[in-house]
Amino acid sequence: GAGVSQSPSNKVTEKGKDVELRCDPISGHTALYWYRQSLGQGLEFLIYFQGNSAPDKSGLPSDRFSAERTGGSVSTLTIQRTQQEDSAVYLCASSLVSNTQYFGPGTRLTVL
Amino acid sequence: DQQVKQNSPSLSVQEGRISILNCDYTNSMFDYFLWYKKYPAEGPTFLISISSIKDKNEDGRFTVFLNKSAKHLSLHIVPSQPGDSAVYFCAARDTGANSKLTFGKGITLSVRP
């Protein structure tokens, strides 16, 4: 079946602009995670959804970052007033609860 | 405060030989460990995992060993193949903490033909 998909694959934006990143999880997966990978770093947890609720937002780096999930499926990560330090690859993963997480290909965000 | 550490940034091995990738962790609440493989411009792909109640899990050419007392795990690939060349991430999970994964920084494996 289809895996996790993310769009866009690449996004270049100017400092101060808002961006939206989309994740389509594997059908039936109730858990959805957002991570980001900055240059030379491991993957850093951002937020976790169980269904449409987000019981763990502890990894969001600032209040410029927000995310939502609708219909227990698609999720959108929004970054407001982007800064250069937001440049990274943003990865989405989905899973059945407490099972293996499967990752999408990521969105490479570049803030100029 | 890195809770999952992959101290070697890179490893180069000859095709057909064994590759040993190491990982250390500090959080004793971690109860499940995973290895992911990542090619450039792709997302991480799940490779193999091990529960904290086991000390070994084998899947084909891949074996993961867990030493809980040392808080150390390792991934063995034998025999190594050129297609194994990728970045390998060690990840750990605290199932009581929403199962979010804590990742190491990764190790780049190069398998020479």
Side-chain angles (χ1 to χ4, degrees), chain A residues 35-103:
Chain A
Y35 296 86
R36 74 174 176 181
Q37 185 182 16
S38 303
L39 192 63
Q41 301 296 314
L43 281 74
E44 171 192 14
F45 167 78
L46 297 178
I47 187 169
Y48 157 65
F49 285 93
Q50 178 55 40
N52 290 337
S53 63
D56 190 346
K57 305 179 182 179
S58 62
L60 294 179
S62 76
D63 58 8
R64 297 186 294 104
F65 287 71
S66 62
E68 64 175 14
R69 188 179 185 195
T70 55
S73 181
V74 172
S75 177
T76 303
L77 177 69
T78 301
I79 309 173
Q80 296 179 310
R81 305 180 303 280
T82 52
Q83 303 294 313
Q84 287 182 333
E85 62 262 28
D86 300 335
S87 297
V89 177
Y90 288 82
L91 290 153
C92 173
S94 72
S95 73
L96 296 171
V97 178
S98 296
N99 278 12
T100 301
Q101 294 178 27
Y102 294 91
F103 283 82

Side-chain angles (χ1 to χ4, degrees), chain B residues 23-89:
Chain B
C23 178
D24 297 287
Y25 63 96
T26 58
N27 187 342
S28 58
M29 296 302 293
F30 289 145
D31 58 2
Y32 201 76
F33 303 88
L34 307 90
W35 284 92
Y36 283 84
K37 174 180 177 180
K38 186 180 184 301
Y39 293 117
E42 295 183 10
T45 303
F46 170 71
L47 194 56
I48 192 169
S49 61
I50 188 167
S51 166
S52 60
I53 63 173
K54 294 186 175 181
D55 56 16
K56 177 182 175 181
N57 188 28
E58 188 172 353
D59 183 2
R61 297 185 297 114
F62 302 92
T63 303
V64 56
F65 296 92
L66 175 63
N67 182 334
K68 280 184 63 179
S69 61
K71 292 190 175 69
H72 176 84
L73 64 155
S74 60
L75 174 66
H76 293 210
I77 306 173
V78 56
S80 301
Q81 299 174 353
D84 296 331
S85 298
V87 178
Y88 289 78
F89 289 98

